[in-house]
Amino acid sequence: MALLISNPPDASALMEASRSFGNYDLAAALADLIDNSITAGATKVSIDCSYDGDVSFIRIADDGQGMSEDELKNAMRPASKNPLEDRSPDDLGRFGLGLKTASFSQARNLTVISKKDGKVFAANWDLDSISDWTMLCYSDEEANAHFIENPIFETVTEVIWRKLDRVTEDGAMSSEDFNRLLISSADQLSLIFHRYMEKQTSLTKKSIMLYLNGIKLEPHDPFKRNHPATQQLDTETLSVTGSKVVITPYILPHFSKLPPNEYERLAGEEGYVRNQGFYVYRNRRLIIHGTWFKLFRHGELSKLARVMVDIPNTLDAQWRITVDKSDAQIPTTLKRRLRDLTEKISNQSSRVYRQRGSKIHRTDVSPVWNRTVTKGRIQFTVNTDNRGISNFVETLSSSQKSHFTDILRIIASGFPVEAIHTDFSENPNNIVQAETEPEEIVRLVKELSEGLKQSGLSKEEVFDVIKTTAPFSDYIEIITAALNESGNK
Ligand SMILES: Nc1ncnc2c1ncn2[C@@H]1O[C@H](COP(=O)(O)OP(=O)(O)OP(=O)(O)O)[C@@H](O)[C@H]1O
Ligand SMILES: [Mg+2]
């Protein structure tokens, strides 16, 4: 007859093994704890690190809602929640493990102290004395004594790591290397949580302030969304088992549009080619970035394409979110759609790359061609408001004006829609803008500025017009240099 016997794991062996669950580096481990703080409603999280032999520590403090004694005891238990449980839409957790696995991936000793309803409670796990699952607990004054002073805000919950064997490579790491590690971890956190750190546009969302050793971190937006030369392409919403996945492609500005330091920062340590691809956010928290999920190659021409993918926590199983929240896999049902989309986006990226960053739908530049949509029909006409054209029209007599307008209509009616369509579907990368020699541009711009000056505009106003008029807006460095030389600017 079969017998049911209880066969629990050996505490010490399991906890030692759990140190290798997931693929945490310092930044990923800190991010797992910041997830908990954000889920607990914190608006400030402060990370403080001290590297000083046996008394080294890393402390993560937040001003969230805190935990009661029972909640804290439960939080300290490995597998404190079932991953199958429904989570609230804003919850950044899933497995009931992160607090423990993230902490022990870096340190051997974990203390958590928290306040709630006027009471303080603290608990401590030490991997060197964990046999039999016994945990040290403190309440009231004894618990209070465990808080480390936080000059930035009043702490509600504090997580403290001591015995930092993994972080410091058993103390072999130099102070300089430790500082370098902190700086690179801070960079990663600014990227992982940038959407929480940015100013929020929705009234229901609060922004989070992250501090490292007293210094406030600034968000790092990998799409450079506030730059006028960044292109945002159409958003697509796809449905996976009833939940929405929102895909927003961006094409980064061409390097000629950015100061070198901003260009370098946007490139990241691994450069543009490696960092192109999907950026998957789970509840606005970055999980994985710079991958095309093997749908597409990391090419030189697509290096300016980055695609924001927003997934809700209801799809954790389908995206195979890992315990350390640093990996995901694309559900099979989405593969085909994303492959099509990826090709389209990459074509757009290669055009920006080749055309020196000229923007297709720029609103701040007066184009040569107008694209109008009427009842779903798209038409292209020559934009007679473009100052390069209107300035010339002004010099004509009224009969010449109407003749010229007729000619522009003929040009628009001969716009080669079909040829463009065929070429674009067959060889999208081979269609390029007709090139204009820089000398020709300079000659044209000088003519335009003369005309503008005669119509009463100041030098500054003339330059403003040139900056916002296509095609001159794409050659602004060359034009500035030429105008400076001739004393025209
Ligand atoms: N800073 C905090 N403030 C308030 N509650 C917290 C905090 N950190 C952890 N908790 C509580 O402890 C629980 C366990 O945290 P833990 O990180 O181990 O698992 P999880 O967040 O539920 O899931 P995951 O393993 O995916 O991170 C959380 O569900 C939360 O209730
Ligand atoms: Mg967690």
Side-chain angles (χ1 to χ4, degrees):
M1 199 181 74
L3 289 177
L4 274 177
I5 59 159
S6 167
N7 193 6
D10 177 83
S12 172
L14 182 69
M15 292 305 266
E16 280 300 332
S18 79
R19 306 196 78 189
S20 306
F21 288 178
N23 195 16
Y24 290 102
D25 56 10
L26 177 61
L30 291 171
D32 221 337
L33 299 196
I34 297 170
D35 280 353
N36 287 342
S37 301
I38 293 176
T39 304
T43 56
K44 298 187 192 86
V45 181
S46 159
I47 300 162
D48 293 275
C49 310
S50 165
Y51 185 29
D52 183 12
D54 288 348
V55 290
S56 302
F57 67 85
I58 294 182
R59 184 276 304 269
I60 300 96
D62 72 49
D63 67 345
Q65 67 191 18
M67 286 174 272
S68 65
E69 176 177 338
D70 283 348
E71 285 166 340
L72 200 156
K73 283 181 187 159
N74 189 48
M76 290 294 271
R77 261 178 41 212
S80 52
K81 270 189 196 162
N82 189 325
L84 299 177
E85 249 176 57
D86 280 343
R87 296 265 185 163
S88 87
D90 297 332
D91 197 330
L92 292 171
R94 165 58 56 199
F95 301 98
L97 283 172
L99 173 64
K100 288 73 62 175
T101 49
S103 303
F104 292 133
S105 74
Q106 307 299 309
R108 296 188 69 76
N109 185 296
L110 162 67
T111 307
V112 181
I113 318 139
S114 196
K115 294 181 208 160
K116 197 168 193 179
D117 302 328
K119 293 198 173 129
V120 192
F121 195 75
N124 167 272
W125 281 124
D126 190 315
L127 289 186
D128 295 321
S129 52
I130 206 169
S131 58
D132 231 5
W133 298 112
T134 46
M135 178 174 82
L136 277 172
C137 292
Y138 309 87
S139 35
D140 308 324
E141 277 314 302
E142 257 195 325
N144 235 342
H146 282 83
F147 278 119
I148 297 174
E149 197 190 313
N150 179 12
I152 302 177
F153 57 87
E154 197 191 327
T155 302
V156 179
T157 300
E158 249 178 44
V159 176
I160 304 169
W161 300 340
R162 290 198 172 86
K163 299 190 181 174
L164 304 174
D165 61 340
R166 291 265 172 103
V167 187
T168 66
E169 297 171 2
D170 285 318
M173 193 179 259
S174 68
S175 307
E176 291 75 35
D177 283 340
F178 185 77
N179 283 339
R180 264 192 281 274
L181 175 68
L182 291 187
I183 291 167
S184 108
S185 304
D187 275 350
Q188 290 181 62
L189 294 175
S190 302
L191 173 65
I192 294 173
F193 293 104
H194 75 95
R195 289 170 74 190
Y196 285 93
M197 296 159 77
E198 285 159 6
K199 214 167 152 237
Q200 304 298 306
T201 43
S202 150
L203 285 178
T204 54
K205 295 196 169 89
K206 296 179 280 187
S207 57
I208 310 284
M209 282 180 266
L210 291 187
Y211 299 87
L212 178 69
N213 283 348
I215 296 169
K216 187 168 170 249
L217 305 184
E218 291 305 321
H220 171 42
D221 173 11
F223 310 100
K224 205 117 187 90
R225 284 168 297 167
N226 61 5
H227 194 283
T230 294
Q231 292 181 44
Q232 181 186 332
L233 309 186
D234 294 341
T235 296
E236 281 215 27
T237 305
L238 308 174
S239 172
V240 179
T241 59
S243 296
K244 279 185 190 158
V245 175
V246 182
I247 295 160
T248 318
Y250 292 90
I251 310 295
L252 300 180
H254 186 268
F255 71 85
S256 61
K257 309 271 174 190
L258 292 169
N261 60 338
E262 284 188 31
Y263 186 75
E264 286 299 316
R265 177 142 164 81
L266 205 51
E269 272 177 19
E270 298 122 331
Y272 281 89
V273 173
R274 276 259 35 93
N275 280 330
Q276 64 184 284
F278 293 111
Y279 283 63
V280 180
Y281 292 81
R282 174 178 177 270
N283 295 357
R284 299 187 298 133
R285 186 275 212 209
L286 186 63
I287 298 284
I288 184 170
H289 71 280
T291 173
W292 286 119
F293 292 118
K294 298 194 179 133
L295 297 175
F296 193 79
R297 259 200 233 126
H298 282 246
E300 180 67 21
L301 286 180
S302 49
K303 70 180 188 181
L304 298 179
R306 295 185 181 179
V307 184
M308 185 189 276
V309 179
D310 275 306
I311 60 172
N313 64 10
T314 42
L315 293 178
D316 286 347
Q318 286 83 349
W319 283 82
R320 297 198 214 150
I321 300 295
T322 54
V323 170
D324 56 15
K325 318 285 179 333
S326 59
D327 201 8
Q329 284 171 42
I330 181 175
T332 317
T333 44
L334 285 185
K335 277 193 178 159
R336 239 190 64 202
R337 186 68 207 105
L338 283 186
R339 188 175 292 119
D340 292 350
L341 194 72
T342 310
E343 271 177 29
K344 215 169 83 187
I345 297 160
S346 142
N347 291 336
Q348 189 87 336
S349 161
S350 61
R351 260 192 288 164
V352 170
Y353 188 48
R354 288 170 174 202
Q355 290 171 22
R356 313 184 64 258
S358 68
K359 193 164 174 177
I360 307 297
H361 305 298
R362 282 185 71 161
T363 49
D364 57 336
V365 166
S366 168
V368 178
W369 287 91
N370 268 338
R371 177 183 180 274
T372 49
V373 185
T374 322
K375 292 189 182 154
R377 292 167 69 87
I378 303 165
Q379 288 190 327
F380 289 88
T381 50
V382 176
N383 175 22
T384 46
D385 289 334
N386 176 295
R387 291 300 281 266
I389 296 167
S390 66
N391 211 47
F392 167 68
V393 174
E394 288 310 310
T395 65
L396 303 176
S397 68
S398 60
S399 70
Q400 282 173 324
K401 269 185 197 159
S402 91
H403 197 165
F404 184 68
T405 314
D406 289 343
I407 289 174
L408 292 184
R409 271 202 217 104
I410 291 172
I411 293 173
S413 68
F415 187 78
V417 175
E418 271 180 33
I420 291 176
H421 184 258
T422 315
D423 287 340
F424 196 78
S425 41
E426 285 171 7
N427 287 311
N429 290 337
N430 294 352
I431 305 189
V432 291
Q433 202 92 54
E435 298 235 350
T436 315
E437 291 298 321
E439 300 82 60
E440 185 69 359
I441 287 287
V442 171
R443 189 181 64 75
L444 288 170
V445 98
K446 281 186 178 159
E447 267 173 32
L448 173 63
S449 26
E450 275 316 307
L452 292 171
K453 269 191 226 150
Q454 275 166 25
S455 65
L457 264 58
S458 68
K459 271 188 193 176
E460 288 71 29
E461 287 165 334
V462 169
F463 193 65
D464 277 347
V465 170
I466 292 167
K467 270 197 308 198
T468 52
T469 301
F472 310 115
S473 48
D474 285 337
Y475 296 86
I476 216 67
E477 294 99 293
I478 300 170
I479 291 172
T480 314
L483 292 185
N484 279 340
E485 218 171 86
S486 63
N488 259 334
K489 214 204 123 196

